[in-house]
Amino acid sequence: LKARNIGDFSLRRIIAYAVEHYADEIKETLPEEILIKHNLLKLNEAIKNYHFPQSQELFSRAQYRFKFEEIFYLELLLALRKNKIQKNNKQIKFEIKTDLIKNFLKILSFQLTESQKKVLSEIKNDMLSDKPMNRLLQGDVGSGKTVVALIAMLIAVDSGYQAALMAPTEILADQHAKNISSLMKKLNDINTGKQVKVSLLLGGQSNSAKAKREKEIELQEADIIIGTHALIEEKVSFRNLGLVVIDEQHRFGVKQRADLLAKGLAPDVLVMSATPIPRTLTMTLYGDLDVSVINEMPKNRKPIKTVLRGEKKLPEIYKFIIDKAKEGYQTFIVYPLVEESEKLDLKAATNYYEELKNTYLKDLNVGLIHGRMNWREKEEMMFRFLNKEFDVLVATTVIEVGIDIPDANIILINDAHRFGLSQLHQLRGRVGRSNKQAYCILVTNDKIAAKQSANELNFDYLSPTQLEFYKASVRLQSMVKYNDGFKIAEIDLKLRGPGDIFGTKQSGFPELKFINIAEDSEIIFEAKQSAFELISYDPALSQKKNFLVRKKILEQYRENIIYADIA
């Protein structure tokens, strides 16, 4: 434009000419019924009033029309996908045949919460129904999702099927395998019928170990199979896969999940997320899934005390850690990087590990864990920490997902302003896994620590530098103020904006230009209801009144119609 000497005024004249002469030529893309029901402007009127509004009200209505249409078609694609899944004849028939589940509940050292029982009822009803299960299980860190998923796996095993649990990292898969194997040993000791066998398949295992596990899976000598991406390798063949559980689902791509499902004959699917997802994102990203939420923590858990401190307070914090070590407390000390970076002035775990064990913490046993270790080295360090060989474990974010250490009840996060809000919340979830009072200490530069009032999400009139400072303050104040992961997730969405959260997870869905996922919840809800209602009575979009919808779907979203019967 600059090369042709076209400035703002010239561009506006071009747009005015185009709108005046061609807006009425544009064909409507929403059915009359939808326009009337939701009081939407027609497309040509919306275009005119978006560029050259006759009034503020008409400009607002034009905005609403474009937002509604954009999210309506996204929700329509989700509705088509869900309908396609539910239309599949379920090849698998689950039924509770023995006392396996009752006996499992007897060996637990705790009572399930009411929230866990409610979610279990939803999952059980799905599994026993004649429709395939496609459910998202949400819950905060430590809310007890894994035991719920294990009971679902036992329903599959009781019905004669295999269940697979796919985790994103080898250390997490290994932790699941150890915990579940321990529980199954207790169960097998009291259960007179079915003896449940657990198998662990990892990419890092020796070839002979992998071959042995693959044979167990193929012959159904393994009932519950736990693993990483190794589960989806071509040579892994399940004999009778009935249930797929995917842990930390956001860490897997759509294709990886599909590859695991293809190992069975339409198995039921349970995906788990330890990172609470805001309601608007659930409606858009996961609208094809039924959603269960565990919103209650175990009864003996005390809320974690979170405090914000400047770097000048570090000597006092180290004294607190030393004093608490005498009471049996263990501490995580987290740094953002493994080694010093030339670009960012961040503390490095390796350097500070050496410094701390020779100065402030010289009278304590200090260990080190970081991402450059292989999973066996990481596992060894975590188990040595669990066995109280260390009072303090210096770490990078590799501990964000890790084994439970009941006596690790202090976490000190350095350069806390460098972490995202959901990551801070995940790290905080590493402590407070017992009935002791746990502490999360966020350390940042003294300037941010001193700003105690940044809790309103108002970014107007801020320079880029001010904005980053302001957002860091809001993140840290939110951590101090809230323990609820769902509240944290809502704030995180507003801080980060929908773009970077939404972009990588759409799996081919259209890029959003008008709707704001963080702010337009009412429009999203309205459009979702309308889209799902339409597909419920016309799943093939064959009715004459839905011709426009069918036309747009075929023209603009052809890559997504593999999910539907409208091709």
PDB file of all heavy atoms in Angstrom, residues 25 37 126 192 240 246 296 327-328 341 440 446 461 491 494 521 546 552 558-559:
ATOM      1  N   GLU A  25     -24.482  -7.588  -2.742  1.00  0.00           N
ATOM      2  CA  GLU A  25     -24.284  -8.760  -3.606  1.00  0.00           C
ATOM      3  C   GLU A  25     -23.880  -9.999  -2.786  1.00  0.00           C
ATOM      4  O   GLU A  25     -23.900 -11.114  -3.293  1.00  0.00           O
ATOM      5  CB  GLU A  25     -23.178  -8.470  -4.631  1.00  0.00           C
ATOM      6  CG  GLU A  25     -23.433  -7.268  -5.523  1.00  0.00           C
ATOM      7  CD  GLU A  25     -24.683  -7.441  -6.375  1.00  0.00           C
ATOM      8  OE1 GLU A  25     -24.873  -8.550  -6.920  1.00  0.00           O
ATOM      9  OE2 GLU A  25     -25.468  -6.473  -6.470  1.00  0.00           O
ATOM     10  N   LYS A  37     -34.385 -16.068  15.369  1.00  0.00           N
ATOM     11  CA  LYS A  37     -34.325 -16.572  16.753  1.00  0.00           C
ATOM     12  C   LYS A  37     -33.336 -15.772  17.604  1.00  0.00           C
ATOM     13  O   LYS A  37     -33.591 -15.493  18.777  1.00  0.00           O
ATOM     14  CB  LYS A  37     -33.934 -18.054  16.751  1.00  0.00           C
ATOM     15  CG  LYS A  37     -33.895 -18.673  18.142  1.00  0.00           C
ATOM     16  CD  LYS A  37     -33.537 -20.144  18.074  1.00  0.00           C
ATOM     17  CE  LYS A  37     -33.438 -20.746  19.467  1.00  0.00           C
ATOM     18  NZ  LYS A  37     -33.038 -22.168  19.434  1.00  0.00           N
ATOM     19  N   ASP A 126     -21.874 -44.087  31.435  1.00  0.00           N
ATOM     20  CA  ASP A 126     -21.364 -44.054  30.054  1.00  0.00           C
ATOM     21  C   ASP A 126     -20.876 -45.436  29.623  1.00  0.00           C
ATOM     22  O   ASP A 126     -21.173 -45.903  28.529  1.00  0.00           O
ATOM     23  CB  ASP A 126     -20.177 -43.083  29.948  1.00  0.00           C
ATOM     24  CG  ASP A 126     -20.616 -41.648  29.719  1.00  0.00           C
ATOM     25  OD1 ASP A 126     -21.825 -41.400  29.676  1.00  0.00           O
ATOM     26  OD2 ASP A 126     -19.738 -40.774  29.599  1.00  0.00           O
ATOM     27  N   THR A 192     -11.012 -63.024  45.429  1.00  0.00           N
ATOM     28  CA  THR A 192     -10.944 -64.468  45.173  1.00  0.00           C
ATOM     29  C   THR A 192     -11.065 -64.810  43.689  1.00  0.00           C
ATOM     30  O   THR A 192     -10.678 -65.889  43.266  1.00  0.00           O
ATOM     31  CB  THR A 192     -12.066 -65.200  45.940  1.00  0.00           C
ATOM     32  OG1 THR A 192     -13.325 -64.587  45.598  1.00  0.00           O
ATOM     33  CG2 THR A 192     -11.852 -65.119  47.431  1.00  0.00           C
ATOM     34  N   ASN A 240      -7.608 -57.053  23.317  1.00  0.00           N
ATOM     35  CA  ASN A 240      -9.018 -56.761  23.620  1.00  0.00           C
ATOM     36  C   ASN A 240      -9.125 -55.412  24.336  1.00  0.00           C
ATOM     37  O   ASN A 240      -9.553 -55.342  25.482  1.00  0.00           O
ATOM     38  CB  ASN A 240      -9.561 -57.876  24.518  1.00  0.00           C
ATOM     39  CG  ASN A 240     -11.044 -58.089  24.326  1.00  0.00           C
ATOM     40  OD1 ASN A 240     -11.668 -57.415  23.514  1.00  0.00           O
ATOM     41  ND2 ASN A 240     -11.608 -59.003  25.082  1.00  0.00           N
ATOM     42  N   ILE A 246      -6.346 -41.158  28.873  1.00  0.00           N
ATOM     43  CA  ILE A 246      -5.222 -40.305  28.463  1.00  0.00           C
ATOM     44  C   ILE A 246      -4.998 -39.257  29.551  1.00  0.00           C
ATOM     45  O   ILE A 246      -5.884 -38.447  29.835  1.00  0.00           O
ATOM     46  CB  ILE A 246      -5.496 -39.655  27.097  1.00  0.00           C
ATOM     47  CG1 ILE A 246      -5.572 -40.763  26.031  1.00  0.00           C
ATOM     48  CG2 ILE A 246      -4.403 -38.660  26.745  1.00  0.00           C
ATOM     49  CD1 ILE A 246      -6.078 -40.336  24.702  1.00  0.00           C
ATOM     50  N   GLU A 296     -13.904 -30.967  44.500  1.00  0.00           N
ATOM     51  CA  GLU A 296     -13.805 -31.109  45.962  1.00  0.00           C
ATOM     52  C   GLU A 296     -12.473 -31.781  46.285  1.00  0.00           C
ATOM     53  O   GLU A 296     -12.099 -32.767  45.648  1.00  0.00           O
ATOM     54  CB  GLU A 296     -14.977 -31.982  46.430  1.00  0.00           C
ATOM     55  CG  GLU A 296     -15.101 -32.164  47.903  1.00  0.00           C
ATOM     56  CD  GLU A 296     -16.264 -33.122  48.260  1.00  0.00           C
ATOM     57  OE1 GLU A 296     -16.946 -33.616  47.341  1.00  0.00           O
ATOM     58  OE2 GLU A 296     -16.451 -33.364  49.441  1.00  0.00           O
ATOM     59  N   GLU A 327      11.157 -30.041  61.916  1.00  0.00           N
ATOM     60  CA  GLU A 327       9.820 -30.620  62.146  1.00  0.00           C
ATOM     61  C   GLU A 327       9.485 -31.721  61.137  1.00  0.00           C
ATOM     62  O   GLU A 327       8.369 -32.224  61.109  1.00  0.00           O
ATOM     63  CB  GLU A 327       8.755 -29.521  62.043  1.00  0.00           C
ATOM     64  CG  GLU A 327       8.899 -28.405  63.060  1.00  0.00           C
ATOM     65  CD  GLU A 327       7.881 -27.291  62.824  1.00  0.00           C
ATOM     66  OE1 GLU A 327       6.797 -27.577  62.269  1.00  0.00           O
ATOM     67  OE2 GLU A 327       8.183 -26.131  63.180  1.00  0.00           O
ATOM     68  N   GLY A 328      10.468 -32.069  60.294  1.00  0.00           N
ATOM     69  CA  GLY A 328      10.238 -33.135  59.308  1.00  0.00           C
ATOM     70  C   GLY A 328       9.781 -32.637  57.948  1.00  0.00           C
ATOM     71  O   GLY A 328       9.488 -33.434  57.058  1.00  0.00           O
ATOM     72  N   SER A 341      21.698 -18.403  31.233  1.00  0.00           N
ATOM     73  CA  SER A 341      21.417 -18.014  29.865  1.00  0.00           C
ATOM     74  C   SER A 341      21.984 -16.621  29.622  1.00  0.00           C
ATOM     75  O   SER A 341      21.903 -15.757  30.485  1.00  0.00           O
ATOM     76  CB  SER A 341      19.906 -17.993  29.624  1.00  0.00           C
ATOM     77  OG  SER A 341      19.594 -17.266  28.469  1.00  0.00           O
ATOM     78  N   CYS A 440       3.675 -22.235  49.923  1.00  0.00           N
ATOM     79  CA  CYS A 440       4.232 -21.906  48.609  1.00  0.00           C
ATOM     80  C   CYS A 440       4.782 -20.479  48.704  1.00  0.00           C
ATOM     81  O   CYS A 440       4.031 -19.538  48.986  1.00  0.00           O
ATOM     82  CB  CYS A 440       3.154 -22.000  47.531  1.00  0.00           C
ATOM     83  SG  CYS A 440       3.700 -21.435  45.906  1.00  0.00           S
ATOM     84  N   ASP A 446      12.220  -7.190  43.878  1.00  0.00           N
ATOM     85  CA  ASP A 446      11.598  -6.409  44.959  1.00  0.00           C
ATOM     86  C   ASP A 446      10.557  -5.420  44.438  1.00  0.00           C
ATOM     87  O   ASP A 446       9.575  -5.128  45.115  1.00  0.00           O
ATOM     88  CB  ASP A 446      12.677  -5.686  45.762  1.00  0.00           C
ATOM     89  CG  ASP A 446      13.572  -6.677  46.497  1.00  0.00           C
ATOM     90  OD1 ASP A 446      13.041  -7.421  47.340  1.00  0.00           O
ATOM     91  OD2 ASP A 446      14.775  -6.736  46.197  1.00  0.00           O
ATOM     92  N   TYR A 461      -3.990   1.644  27.992  1.00  0.00           N
ATOM     93  CA  TYR A 461      -3.017   2.738  28.095  1.00  0.00           C
ATOM     94  C   TYR A 461      -1.698   2.327  28.750  1.00  0.00           C
ATOM     95  O   TYR A 461      -1.056   3.132  29.403  1.00  0.00           O
ATOM     96  CB  TYR A 461      -3.622   3.933  28.851  1.00  0.00           C
ATOM     97  CG  TYR A 461      -5.019   4.265  28.414  1.00  0.00           C
ATOM     98  CD1 TYR A 461      -6.082   4.182  29.317  1.00  0.00           C
ATOM     99  CD2 TYR A 461      -5.294   4.627  27.096  1.00  0.00           C
ATOM    100  CE1 TYR A 461      -7.380   4.462  28.912  1.00  0.00           C
ATOM    101  CE2 TYR A 461      -6.592   4.909  26.692  1.00  0.00           C
ATOM    102  CZ  TYR A 461      -7.627   4.820  27.585  1.00  0.00           C
ATOM    103  OH  TYR A 461      -8.897   5.077  27.187  1.00  0.00           O
ATOM    104  N   ILE A 491      -8.456 -16.428  35.135  1.00  0.00           N
ATOM    105  CA  ILE A 491      -7.571 -15.255  35.122  1.00  0.00           C
ATOM    106  C   ILE A 491      -6.467 -15.448  34.081  1.00  0.00           C
ATOM    107  O   ILE A 491      -6.128 -14.529  33.324  1.00  0.00           O
ATOM    108  CB  ILE A 491      -6.970 -15.010  36.525  1.00  0.00           C
ATOM    109  CG1 ILE A 491      -8.080 -14.668  37.522  1.00  0.00           C
ATOM    110  CG2 ILE A 491      -5.929 -13.889  36.492  1.00  0.00           C
ATOM    111  CD1 ILE A 491      -7.660 -14.720  38.969  1.00  0.00           C
ATOM    112  N   LYS A 494      -7.645 -14.674  30.617  1.00  0.00           N
ATOM    113  CA  LYS A 494      -7.769 -13.233  30.369  1.00  0.00           C
ATOM    114  C   LYS A 494      -6.400 -12.587  30.194  1.00  0.00           C
ATOM    115  O   LYS A 494      -6.227 -11.677  29.386  1.00  0.00           O
ATOM    116  CB  LYS A 494      -8.540 -12.572  31.516  1.00  0.00           C
ATOM    117  CG  LYS A 494     -10.024 -12.900  31.481  1.00  0.00           C
ATOM    118  CD  LYS A 494     -10.775 -12.274  32.625  1.00  0.00           C
ATOM    119  CE  LYS A 494     -12.263 -12.638  32.519  1.00  0.00           C
ATOM    120  NZ  LYS A 494     -13.039 -12.207  33.675  1.00  0.00           N
ATOM    121  N   SER A 521     -18.544 -15.201  26.770  1.00  0.00           N
ATOM    122  CA  SER A 521     -19.118 -16.486  27.196  1.00  0.00           C
ATOM    123  C   SER A 521     -20.595 -16.617  26.845  1.00  0.00           C
ATOM    124  O   SER A 521     -21.065 -17.692  26.477  1.00  0.00           O
ATOM    125  CB  SER A 521     -18.907 -16.692  28.696  1.00  0.00           C
ATOM    126  OG  SER A 521     -19.486 -15.642  29.431  1.00  0.00           O
ATOM    127  N   ASN A 546     -31.829 -25.807   6.131  1.00  0.00           N
ATOM    128  CA  ASN A 546     -30.425 -25.772   6.542  1.00  0.00           C
ATOM    129  C   ASN A 546     -29.463 -25.844   5.357  1.00  0.00           C
ATOM    130  O   ASN A 546     -28.274 -26.136   5.513  1.00  0.00           O
ATOM    131  CB  ASN A 546     -30.136 -26.929   7.512  1.00  0.00           C
ATOM    132  CG  ASN A 546     -30.884 -26.757   8.823  1.00  0.00           C
ATOM    133  OD1 ASN A 546     -31.027 -25.640   9.309  1.00  0.00           O
ATOM    134  ND2 ASN A 546     -31.384 -27.849   9.379  1.00  0.00           N
ATOM    135  N   LYS A 552     -22.056 -23.886   3.411  1.00  0.00           N
ATOM    136  CA  LYS A 552     -20.863 -23.258   4.010  1.00  0.00           C
ATOM    137  C   LYS A 552     -19.925 -24.313   4.603  1.00  0.00           C
ATOM    138  O   LYS A 552     -18.700 -24.214   4.474  1.00  0.00           O
ATOM    139  CB  LYS A 552     -21.268 -22.246   5.082  1.00  0.00           C
ATOM    140  CG  LYS A 552     -20.062 -21.550   5.716  1.00  0.00           C
ATOM    141  CD  LYS A 552     -20.386 -20.243   6.388  1.00  0.00           C
ATOM    142  CE  LYS A 552     -19.145 -19.635   7.001  1.00  0.00           C
ATOM    143  NZ  LYS A 552     -19.338 -18.285   7.516  1.00  0.00           N
ATOM    144  N   ARG A 558     -14.223 -28.221   4.654  1.00  0.00           N
ATOM    145  CA  ARG A 558     -14.236 -29.569   4.071  1.00  0.00           C
ATOM    146  C   ARG A 558     -13.306 -30.527   4.815  1.00  0.00           C
ATOM    147  O   ARG A 558     -13.597 -31.710   4.930  1.00  0.00           O
ATOM    148  CB  ARG A 558     -13.854 -29.486   2.595  1.00  0.00           C
ATOM    149  CG  ARG A 558     -13.894 -30.822   1.873  1.00  0.00           C
ATOM    150  CD  ARG A 558     -13.885 -30.655   0.374  1.00  0.00           C
ATOM    151  NE  ARG A 558     -15.131 -30.133  -0.146  1.00  0.00           N
ATOM    152  CZ  ARG A 558     -16.202 -30.870  -0.409  1.00  0.00           C
ATOM    153  NH1 ARG A 558     -16.186 -32.165  -0.159  1.00  0.00           N
ATOM    154  NH2 ARG A 558     -17.284 -30.340  -0.900  1.00  0.00           N
ATOM    155  N   GLU A 559     -12.174 -30.004   5.328  1.00  0.00           N
ATOM    156  CA  GLU A 559     -11.238 -30.907   6.012  1.00  0.00           C
ATOM    157  C   GLU A 559     -11.833 -31.488   7.290  1.00  0.00           C
ATOM    158  O   GLU A 559     -11.341 -32.467   7.832  1.00  0.00           O
ATOM    159  CB  GLU A 559      -9.913 -30.191   6.336  1.00  0.00           C
ATOM    160  CG  GLU A 559      -9.994 -29.163   7.448  1.00  0.00           C
ATOM    161  CD  GLU A 559     -10.371 -27.771   6.951  1.00  0.00           C
ATOM    162  OE1 GLU A 559     -10.977 -27.667   5.866  1.00  0.00           O
ATOM    163  OE2 GLU A 559     -10.062 -26.801   7.652  1.00  0.00           O
TER     164      GLU A 559
END
